[in-house]
Amino acid sequence: MSTRLAAVVALGYPVAVIAGSFLELPRLPLAWLALLILVLAWPALPVLGRGVIALVLAVLVLLLGTEPAGKWLIYAVPVLIQGGLAWLFARSLRPGSTPLITRYALAMGASDSTPVHRYTRRLTAAWALLCGGLALLSAVLAVAVSTTTWALFANGINYLFLAALFMLEYPLRRWLLCDEPRAGFLPYLAALARADHRHILRQR
């Protein structure tokens, strides 16, 4: 299955969680999560394996749909996503490692200068703190508020915070790093999409 399809399914997952909460359909987010797992695993599986994993996932959705374990699995997803992102950013701040955003900046044509290194290191730390804070808040809300309120925050507002930092950082960078090349926001997004993410993530 194509990467585009996987992206569409992944983007639809938060919507499914919120809709399932409002419509009181506990199996909806589980079914969507199962679909996402199937789409991601599909290219690596033989034909028989695809049928087996599809059957196993369908059975799990049916069994866990009305059980507390299914509910807690859905609660865990945004915590794991945000926590994983926080870990990814934070681990790149270790001594001897190049901060993650510094790697991206250099790979996308930024100068190997002290201001670039200083700014991108601080930005990497900001992303680590934001993702870690959102993961913690999602976990707290899972036990402190209603399922609907949690779903709206952990699967909606959560990602708006991430989008806000991503959008607001660009003009801030242009102002603080005024000597760096300026190609515009859309070309920047295109360059980011073309970046060799696997290679960048494997760097130290």
Side-chain angles (χ1 to χ4, degrees):
M1 294 187 185
S2 68
T3 303
R4 184 174 298 178
L5 175 60
V8 170
V9 175
L11 291 173
Y13 174 75
V15 178
V17 175
I18 294 173
S21 174
F22 274 92
L23 300 176
E24 297 183 354
L25 297 172
R27 286 193 175 94
L28 177 59
L30 282 172
W32 204 278
L33 180 60
L35 176 62
L36 178 58
I37 293 171
L38 183 62
V39 168
L40 293 174
W42 191 270
L45 295 172
V47 175
L48 180 60
R50 293 169 180 172
V52 170
I53 193 171
L55 179 60
V56 170
L57 289 171
V59 170
L60 287 175
V61 169
L62 292 174
L63 293 177
L64 297 178
T66 57
E67 296 295 324
K71 181 179 180 180
W72 287 107
L73 176 60
I74 297 302
Y75 279 156
V77 171
V79 177
L80 292 174
I81 291 174
Q82 302 291 351
L85 289 173
W87 175 81
L88 195 64
F89 286 110
R91 73 186 295 268
S92 72
L93 295 171
R94 297 173 301 175
S97 180
T98 303
L100 183 57
I101 294 179
T102 306
R103 300 177 208 168
Y104 272 96
L106 296 177
M108 293 168 63
S111 64
D112 192 5
S113 62
T114 298
V116 168
H117 279 267
R118 181 172 56 245
Y119 174 79
T120 52
R121 183 176 186 84
R122 291 174 178 173
L123 183 58
T124 301
W127 274 105
L129 289 172
L130 176 61
C131 292
L134 292 175
L136 180 60
L137 188 53
S138 293
V140 171
L141 291 178
V143 297
V145 300
S146 68
T147 301
T148 301
T149 302
W150 169 85
L152 282 172
F153 178 84
N155 296 276
I157 298 173
N158 227 351
Y159 297 106
L160 292 179
F161 278 115
L162 299 181
L165 177 56
F166 183 82
M167 296 292 292
L168 294 175
E169 181 274 326
Y170 182 76
L172 178 64
R173 183 198 326 156
R174 289 171 63 97
W175 177 54
L176 293 176
L177 301 176
C178 55
D179 294 331
E180 291 299 306
R182 301 182 180 185
F185 187 65
L186 291 180
Y188 161 70
L189 291 180
L192 182 60
R194 292 193 304 268
D196 189 345
H197 304 287
R198 183 173 299 180
H199 174 71
I200 292 172
L201 292 173
R202 286 179 176 175
Q203 290 178 345
R204 289 184 56 106

